[in-house]
Amino acid sequence: MSRATLKVAFDGPAIHDGTMDVRDLAPSLLAIGQLCEEANRVLNGERIQATVLVRADFRKGSFEVNLDLVQSLISQMRSFLVGEDATAAANLLALLSGATGGTVGLFGVIKWLRGRRPKRLVALENGRVRLELDDLSIETAREVIELYRDLDVRKAAASVIRPLEKSGIDTIALTPAPDSREVITKEDAASFLAPEPEEEQIIQEEKKAAFTIVSISFKDGNKWRLFDGQNTINVTMADEAFIARVNQNDVVFAKGDILVCRVLMEQWRIKDGLRTEYTVLEVVEHRSAARQLPLQFDSPDPE
């Protein structure tokens, strides 16, 4: 088992009498627990379980809370953070809220970037990473970058500093070790806003398919509705030559007509699941609806 203590101090005119609204305190403490659990998941996977406990030694003045991070080894594997489970919890807290070996932790990186995207990430020989932003740069641990990239970690970090949105609470100080302290001010709070997940393309596939026409649109940008025999889909008609023929009345549609098309299907992973789009690249064939029975005539028998 690995154990380490994080001191959290809230300061400002609203709490100089040693009291703090539980509606501000409780969500922040819960968020610290969530942050530690998510960071532990990113860096240690499922083999180590993280638990955050509150130690009730509140002090008057600034409002201070001591939290104990307890890590329990689920399997016999060693924590890859430091190679020794006895110091894993302390290193995890340092990666979140303090300096480790001359580098800044997650909270320091978020404060330094102030919502901006780094121009370059340079992997250094010592295992650290240098973040470059215009002519400025800082160094941090590789594990901090992993935490910075994880959306659940970022959301938890944003919840930790939410009391700064309240009037009269000016700073939150996180002290994972006697010689390490990270102070977040009201001016820093906007930097912690968790980014929205970026769309990621999963599939881009071109295929040939036949459709019946449900509805068409003669307005630029409006989608056609086609039926593939199972589902009705909205498609972007990108075959300009076919559209020109339609606009010139060279193509006449009737119920039951079939379009044989070359179609591009694209899927993206988005915040709420998947987004799918269809584009008709080319109308290969327009088959009019059958109005007569298809009978085949054989050649006459030779006499």
Side-chain angles (χ1 to χ4, degrees):
M1 180 179 293
S2 178
R3 193 181 190 108
T5 298
L6 174 68
K7 180 184 294 184
V8 184
F10 303 84
D11 202 355
I15 49 182
H16 279 171
D17 62 352
T19 63
M20 183 173 176
D21 193 327
V22 69
R23 290 170 294 184
D24 299 330
L25 175 63
S28 183
L29 296 184
L30 290 172
I32 292 175
Q34 183 69 24
L35 176 62
C36 290
E37 291 176 7
E38 297 294 351
N40 183 75
R41 171 187 56 80
V42 171
L43 299 179
N44 290 317
E46 301 297 328
R47 66 182 184 269
I48 293 181
Q49 180 180 2
T51 305
V52 176
L53 307 175
V54 178
R55 266 201 287 122
D57 51 352
F58 301 102
R59 299 180 183 180
K60 193 170 181 177
S62 64
F63 197 90
E64 292 185 358
V65 182
N66 287 329
L67 301 174
D68 286 348
L69 170 62
V70 180
Q71 287 181 317
S72 302
L73 192 63
I74 295 176
S75 72
Q76 296 304 311
M77 298 175 64
R78 294 288 186 179
S79 167
F80 81 90
L81 277 174
V82 290
E84 292 294 336
D85 299 315
T87 56
N91 278 270
L92 180 59
L93 291 180
L95 289 169
L96 288 172
S97 56
T100 98
T103 64
V104 296
L106 173 66
F107 280 72
V109 167
I110 294 174
K111 286 170 52 179
W112 185 78
L113 286 172
R114 292 196 173 278
R116 301 167 294 181
R117 184 187 295 269
K119 296 294 179 63
R120 289 182 66 204
L121 294 177
V122 181
L124 305 178
E125 293 182 358
N126 58 9
R128 299 177 186 173
V129 176
R130 184 171 68 241
L131 286 77
E132 298 181 356
L133 184 65
D134 298 327
D135 57 344
L136 303 174
S137 66
I138 59 170
E139 290 186 16
T140 189
R142 174 182 54 83
E143 293 86 356
V144 170
I145 300 300
E146 293 182 40
L147 297 175
Y148 180 82
R149 286 173 168 166
D150 190 272
L151 285 176
D152 288 331
V153 169
R154 296 288 300 280
K155 290 177 182 178
S159 297
V160 169
I161 60 92
R162 193 153 293 151
L164 293 174
E165 299 174 0
K166 300 290 184 177
S167 176
I169 301 178
D170 296 334
T171 65
I172 299 175
L174 304 173
T175 306
D179 58 347
S180 178
R181 191 168 186 258
E182 188 70 64
V183 179
I184 303 98
T185 67
K186 279 189 179 298
E187 290 71 27
D188 299 321
S191 305
F192 282 77
L193 183 65
E196 291 294 327
E198 296 181 358
E199 293 188 0
E200 176 187 1
Q201 190 171 60
I202 305 297
I203 294 176
Q204 185 179 51
E205 180 180 67
E206 185 179 318
K207 64 180 181 179
K208 191 175 181 180
F211 303 93
T212 57
I213 301 170
V214 177
S215 65
I216 63 176
S217 174
F218 295 100
K219 293 183 179 180
D220 291 341
N222 284 12
K223 296 182 181 294
W224 292 35
R225 298 182 69 212
L226 305 178
F227 181 68
D228 65 1
Q230 291 183 319
N231 301 298
T232 299
I233 61 174
N234 296 318
V235 305
T236 299
M237 182 60 69
D239 186 341
E240 295 183 359
F242 182 76
I243 292 175
R245 291 175 58 206
V246 171
N247 290 336
Q248 294 167 8
N249 295 321
D250 292 337
V251 178
V252 178
F253 298 109
K255 183 178 179 180
D257 282 8
I258 292 176
L259 298 180
V260 180
C261 306
R262 192 161 55 87
V263 182
L264 177 65
M265 189 272 284
E266 299 174 284
Q267 285 188 312
W268 287 267
R269 180 168 61 185
I270 60 176
K271 178 181 178 181
D272 298 322
L274 289 174
R275 175 169 62 87
T276 304
E277 292 189 0
Y278 298 90
T279 303
V280 173
L281 303 175
E282 179 187 7
V283 177
V284 179
E285 183 181 359
H286 172 208
R287 294 189 182 184
S288 298
R291 293 177 176 81
Q292 293 180 333
L293 293 176
L295 298 179
Q296 182 177 348
F297 290 88
D298 295 332
S299 301
D301 295 330
E303 294 181 0

